[in-house]
Amino acid sequence: MSYLDELNDAQRAAVTYSAGPELVIAGAGSGKTRVLTYKIMHLLIEQKMEPWRIMALTFTNKAANEMRSRIEQMVGPKTASRLWMGTFHSIFRRILNSHADRLGFKPGFSIYDTQDSKALVKAIIKEMDLDDKVYKPSSVLGAISAAKNSLISPTQYKASRDIIEADKRARRPMLYAVYEAYCRRCFVSNAMDFDDLLYFTNVLFRDNVDILHHYQEFFRYVLVDEYQDTNFAQHLIVQMLTRQSGNLCVVGDDAQSIYSFRGANIDNILNLKRHYPTLQTFKLEQNYRSTQTITNAANSLIAKNTEQIRKNVFSRNEQGAPIELVKAYSDFEEGYLVANRIATRRAEAHDSFEDYAILYRTNAQSRVLEESLRKRNIPYRIYGGLSFYQRQEVKDALAYFRLSMNVDDDEALRRAINTPARGIGQTTMQRLTRAALEAQVSLWTVISDPAAYPAGLASSALKKLDAFRQLIESFVDMNLRGLSAFEVAEKIIARSGLMAQYLTDHAPETVARRENLEELVSAVREFVEERLEEGSTDISMADFLGMASLATDQDRKDDDMQATERVTLMTAHAAKGLEFNNVFVVGVEEELFPSGMAMGSLREVEEERRLLYVAITRAKCFCMLSYASSRFRNGQTVLPLPSRFLKDISPDYLRVSAGSTVEEVPVRPQMRPLGNFRPYGPAPAPASASRGPEPQVSEGMVIEHLKFGRGVIRTVDRSMEDTRIIVDFEREGEKTLLLKFARFKIVG
């Protein structure tokens, strides 16, 4: 059977079209990832396109990995690995790293995350003696981000009368100077933030016609997922790359455009035909996820929007129960009703807590819900909590990792230089910073040559700084000698003193930090082993940092919350792209959903309506909407009105019930199991080395892989220097592994 036979008529038409640019409008649950995946396979199989000529852009690594895994099963891992597939930021980081010199940067530049950027902005505000209550760091950083995403340079920002006047009205007349200083400091540190990866890609293509022409010729086809979420900078890059060929396929759903606060512009998808006059539009309208009732209810809601590409989404699943609409007396009663409904429905359906999600408009709403769940002994997790790579001790270690690759990274140096404490205090740092600013050089340059950049430091301080310099240079040397990321990480954790500071204290939080450092080293080891197993030599610290720095919230599971099944609590924004059997949307009230901060224009209200549409369409089988007559908000009790959006949903698909307090039923407390701990072992051998004799394997042998599970060896290829095996895994499909690095045991 052909892979095309696995598609419905609309999907197949979108996949096989090849006469020019195309837009695939994919309704909720309509299989857009399948279409994007099969489109790539069609280019590879039917049109014989070289994989490295295909660029596929996504918004999360999770989406890219899912597509790559499916493609691997059809065309094999070797071909799939050569695709330029990944997030906007990871793909363009790769391009920028190859041409950093054209922009004045050095290869191996650091990537500042939000915490790094915010720390730098705070430092600049303090140095400029500005009021941080007026120049709030997060707000200033937001303004800088908006400027970059609109491709407004510091010079253009300063020259814009409208922008300067707006800043004056906001009592922030020096914001342009903060923007200038921020960009200058990043440049001196050989660092870019997330927005820079898009901004400088535009600058690179704009100012270097030869490079633009190279990539226009190199990439024969560009595909983009979730196009409704693109901002101006992303939209312009895609246009530049496809200007000559017109070979573009974008997939998205204007009805799920909910990220304008991040710079996403719905006009990019609504007005795409203006930029591509020959654009062909395909509509995927069959919802495979939800019941007919949930699908029809969502349709009736979104039909009220004026800005949209009209479509008729339908479901052939079971009819399903009406959406429950519940009125509660207060937000506390709403929490009780939700918790009780979960308990009773789970008792009836005999399903897992993992099948339940509670969605809300703001994070502050979770507190009351958490209390209600705890009283019913219902386990839960808050989705989007502090990610592993943002934890203090992990960030400390990553600062050392970054310095080992880029000594000019000022933010990493500030974090590492006195962690653990080595007597380099605030006064020393202030003097170093002053000397670096005056000379317009990095802090490392001052530390490395104190005679050339006198900072007025005592001999004792200079001695401590020199010891730190030697320590960092030893880490740099390990990378220069070609050690793997794991070997470098293991030595940095040991020699820096990061681990030692947590060894003498056995308080729970200290033990947790020690375990997090151990887990970080395990993560680096896992990264190296996976690359080696796949036959890749990209196992350096630079490769690991590239992966870690661009990870997104949806690319991970909360690793400390996997021990038990749990109800998921999250904002409606965070729920996009996910699905659950049972969804509870709480607080559907005026000035909450829609938000009181998003009611200034029709466009803002319509985005709020799209957000509720997204929330409802996360549900497969059951959905409940609730609102309260009174709610405690901002320190006082308010009496909200039901959301205007409730009137937009056809009553044909609703079952209205009055809220009432249900007597709590005592439930026996559940025991929380202890987390599993897996210590890390010796460093993996370099790619060129052998781990010893290869295991004796043959075709038909059953193995159990550490990550991929049980599978059958289909092929043993000894034609190359390193033996490769092709294994058909029960869960993951076909994988090609280097035998000497493959992690498995023979079970039959």
Side-chain angles (χ1 to χ4, degrees):
M1 182 178 72
S2 167
Y3 62 93
L4 293 175
D5 294 334
E6 300 175 19
L7 305 172
N8 64 32
D9 292 343
Q11 293 171 337
R12 191 180 306 111
V15 166
T16 56
Y17 181 76
S18 59
E22 68 176 304
L23 166 62
V24 181
I25 295 296
S30 63
K32 71 174 179 62
T33 304
R34 171 179 287 251
V35 166
L36 208 55
T37 303
Y38 280 50
K39 181 81 179 180
I40 294 170
M41 292 197 297
H42 190 70
L43 293 172
L44 294 170
I45 296 170
E46 298 299 327
Q47 300 193 18
K48 310 299 181 186
M49 194 171 290
E50 300 97 336
W52 55 89
R53 301 286 194 185
I54 299 172
M55 174 186 280
L57 300 168
T58 68
F59 277 84
T60 66
N61 289 316
K62 176 185 176 184
N65 292 336
E66 284 179 0
M67 286 196 293
R68 192 186 300 277
S69 179
R70 295 188 193 182
I71 293 168
E72 279 183 357
Q73 295 177 31
M74 182 64 68
V75 299
K78 185 176 181 181
T79 298
S81 67
R82 295 181 178 179
L83 293 164
W84 281 64
M85 179 183 289
T87 64
F88 279 88
H89 293 92
S90 64
I91 293 295
F92 297 135
R93 170 188 171 272
R94 184 175 170 185
I95 289 174
L96 287 172
N97 208 46
S98 299
H99 307 284
D101 59 316
R102 295 286 189 101
L103 299 164
F105 286 86
K106 291 175 279 190
F109 53 80
S110 295
I111 299 175
Y112 282 0
D113 64 15
T114 303
Q115 285 191 21
D116 297 320
S117 297
K118 193 172 181 179
L120 178 54
V121 166
K122 287 177 70 174
I124 292 169
I125 290 170
K126 185 175 182 179
E127 291 159 10
M128 295 177 67
D129 200 25
L130 299 173
D131 185 352
D132 61 6
K133 292 182 176 60
V134 177
Y135 291 84
K136 295 179 180 177
S138 57
S139 177
V140 170
L141 191 58
I144 292 173
S145 176
K148 289 182 179 180
N149 286 327
S150 297
L151 303 182
I152 300 172
S153 69
T155 302
Q156 292 169 324
Y157 192 102
K158 185 178 180 180
S160 171
R161 180 177 298 177
D162 290 342
I163 293 176
I164 296 301
E165 286 301 318
D167 285 345
K168 286 180 179 177
R169 288 195 297 272
R171 298 189 302 121
R172 301 186 305 189
M174 296 299 292
L175 206 155
Y176 77 90
V178 178
Y179 185 17
E180 283 181 327
Y182 176 81
C183 292
R184 187 169 57 250
R185 297 276 281 274
C186 285
F187 183 76
V188 169
S189 295
N190 194 38
M192 294 187 190
D193 62 23
F194 288 161
D195 296 317
D196 284 332
L197 296 174
L198 302 176
Y199 176 86
F200 281 117
T201 300
N202 274 286
V203 172
L204 179 71
F205 289 163
R206 181 197 67 195
D207 296 347
N208 300 274
V209 177
D210 59 326
I211 293 176
L212 175 59
H213 285 171
H214 166 73
Y215 286 110
Q216 286 174 334
E217 290 290 326
F218 186 80
F219 295 116
R220 299 293 173 83
Y221 217 99
V222 177
L223 304 98
V224 188
D225 191 18
E226 304 282 15
Y227 205 75
Q228 77 281 349
D229 293 337
T230 55
N231 59 29
F232 176 67
Q234 291 162 326
H235 180 63
L236 196 57
I237 293 170
V238 171
Q239 276 189 271
M240 285 192 283
L241 287 172
T242 59
R243 185 179 296 152
Q244 291 184 348
S245 70
N247 290 334
L248 172 69
C249 173
V250 307
V251 181
D253 183 7
D254 55 292
Q256 298 187 60
S257 179
I258 59 173
Y259 293 128
S260 65
F261 65 95
R262 295 181 185 169
N265 187 350
I266 192 174
D267 291 334
N268 291 348
I269 194 167
L270 293 179
N271 301 325
L272 195 61
K273 196 172 181 67
R274 293 183 187 176
H275 303 288
Y276 299 90
T278 61
L279 183 77
Q280 184 75 24
T281 300
F282 298 85
K283 296 180 181 179
L284 308 182
E285 297 175 307
Q286 182 173 354
N287 183 328
Y288 289 92
R289 174 189 302 147
S290 306
T291 64
Q292 293 180 34
T293 298
I294 291 172
T295 301
N296 292 337
N299 286 346
S300 67
L301 170 68
I302 203 64
K304 304 303 187 294
N305 270 15
T306 58
E307 284 191 316
Q308 65 171 296
I309 298 172
R310 296 287 173 180
K311 53 189 171 295
N312 179 33
V313 180
F314 65 93
S315 170
R316 289 181 178 151
N317 296 338
E318 64 178 359
Q319 185 71 33
I323 290 179
E324 294 186 8
L325 178 58
V326 174
K327 174 185 176 181
Y329 172 74
S330 67
D331 49 344
F332 294 100
E333 186 184 45
E334 180 183 50
Y336 293 145
L337 290 171
V338 169
N340 291 337
R341 191 70 182 91
I342 290 173
T344 56
R345 182 164 176 81
R346 183 169 178 269
E348 295 165 358
H350 304 290
D351 51 10
S352 164
F353 283 125
E354 294 290 322
D355 294 323
Y356 292 80
I358 305 173
L359 310 183
Y360 35 77
R361 182 62 182 83
T362 66
N363 280 306
Q365 292 170 255
S366 74
R367 182 183 63 83
V368 173
L369 295 163
E370 289 182 70
E371 288 180 5
S372 299
L373 293 172
R374 283 197 297 267
K375 288 178 179 178
R376 290 303 305 263
N377 289 298
I378 295 175
Y380 67 89
R381 64 172 181 150
I382 304 291
Y383 186 94
L386 195 62
S387 71
F388 178 77
Y389 289 113
Q390 294 298 321
R391 293 168 184 168
Q392 175 188 319
E393 57 279 1
V394 175
K395 288 275 289 181
D396 291 341
L398 290 175
Y400 279 94
F401 293 0
R402 284 162 50 180
L403 280 176
S404 76
M405 293 302 306
N406 174 20
V407 291
D408 292 318
D409 186 337
D410 277 0
E411 290 309 305
L413 189 143
R414 289 179 197 280
R415 190 173 192 108
I417 197 166
N418 202 41
T419 306
R422 48 176 59 92
I424 301 174
Q426 189 174 357
T427 301
T428 298
M429 289 305 301
Q430 288 173 344
R431 291 178 179 176
L432 286 173
T433 300
R434 190 181 308 116
L437 288 174
E438 289 174 357
Q440 291 297 295
V441 296
S442 67
L443 290 169
W444 179 262
T445 303
V446 177
I447 292 171
S448 298
D449 194 354
Y453 304 97
L457 297 173
S459 58
S460 57
L462 290 172
K463 187 175 181 180
K464 293 169 185 173
L465 289 171
D466 190 59
F468 176 72
R469 176 190 60 79
Q470 291 182 46
L471 177 68
I472 299 302
E473 285 181 346
S474 72
F475 300 154
V476 172
D477 181 64
M478 288 190 290
N479 285 315
L480 293 176
R481 288 191 284 116
L483 272 65
S484 73
F486 174 74
E487 292 170 306
V488 175
E490 191 177 39
K491 289 178 172 60
I492 286 178
I493 296 297
R495 295 179 187 176
S496 64
L498 287 172
M499 182 64 80
Q501 66 182 329
Y502 299 128
L503 293 177
T504 56
D505 186 355
H506 299 291
E509 60 271 21
T510 306
V511 172
R513 288 179 174 176
R514 184 166 70 239
E515 290 177 349
N516 283 337
L517 284 179
E518 291 168 339
E519 184 59 30
L520 174 63
V521 179
S522 294
V524 183
R525 179 189 183 187
E526 184 75 11
F527 168 83
V528 171
E529 289 185 339
E530 284 186 7
R531 292 290 179 95
L532 289 174
E533 196 172 43
E534 293 166 0
S536 172
T537 58
D538 298 332
I539 59 172
S540 70
M541 179 56 74
D543 297 314
F544 173 78
L545 288 173
M547 178 279 296
S549 64
L550 297 173
T552 67
D553 283 346
Q554 286 200 2
D555 295 328
R556 64 180 177 84
K557 290 184 177 179
D558 297 86
D559 49 19
D560 58 344
M561 296 210 175
Q562 297 306 300
T564 59
E565 300 171 355
R566 294 166 186 259
V567 173
T568 299
L569 277 68
M570 65 172 75
T571 64
H573 280 103
K576 185 171 173 290
L578 303 176
E579 58 183 39
F580 301 88
N581 283 343
N582 310 278
V583 170
F584 297 76
V585 187
V586 299
V588 190
E589 302 153 12
E590 285 292 288
E591 299 194 7
L592 184 56
F593 209 155
S595 167
M597 300 176 65
M599 296 167 66
S601 68
L602 177 63
R603 172 163 276 207
E604 289 177 331
V605 172
E606 291 203 345
E607 178 160 335
E608 289 289 300
R609 187 181 283 111
R610 292 194 295 269
L611 182 58
L612 182 56
Y613 173 84
V614 167
I616 291 172
T617 55
R618 299 311 93 199
K620 294 181 181 181
C621 308
F622 172 86
C623 182
M624 184 179 114
L625 309 178
S626 62
Y627 63 96
S629 298
S630 67
R631 185 174 298 275
F632 195 75
R633 292 178 61 191
N634 302 320
Q636 60 183 349
T637 299
V638 296
L639 306 176
L641 296 172
S643 170
R644 66 188 72 184
F645 298 151
L646 295 176
K647 295 180 181 179
D648 294 337
I649 302 173
S650 170
D652 295 341
Y653 309 117
L654 293 176
R655 181 169 69 234
V656 182
S657 58
S660 59
T661 303
V662 180
E663 185 179 355
E664 294 180 44
V665 179
V667 181
R668 185 163 54 88
Q670 296 182 354
M671 297 298 292
R672 181 180 179 182
L674 296 172
N676 294 323
F677 171 69
R678 179 168 59 89
Y680 55 86
S688 59
S690 172
R691 285 185 166 179
E694 293 179 346
Q696 296 300 310
V697 296
S698 59
E699 295 175 4
M701 191 173 278
V702 181
I703 66 170
E704 194 165 274
H705 189 272
L706 184 64
K707 179 178 180 182
F708 304 131
R710 186 174 291 254
V712 178
I713 298 176
R714 297 301 186 197
T715 305
V716 180
D717 182 1
R718 293 188 171 90
S719 61
M720 291 174 278
E721 181 180 351
D722 293 324
T723 302
R724 285 168 164 77
I725 57 173
I726 299 176
V727 186
D728 185 8
F729 290 102
E730 293 175 359
R731 294 197 315 264
E732 303 289 335
E734 202 169 86
K735 298 281 185 183
T736 300
L737 308 175
L738 278 182
L739 182 57
K740 69 179 180 181
F741 292 118
R743 296 163 292 166
F744 66 85
K745 63 180 179 180
I746 298 168
V747 294

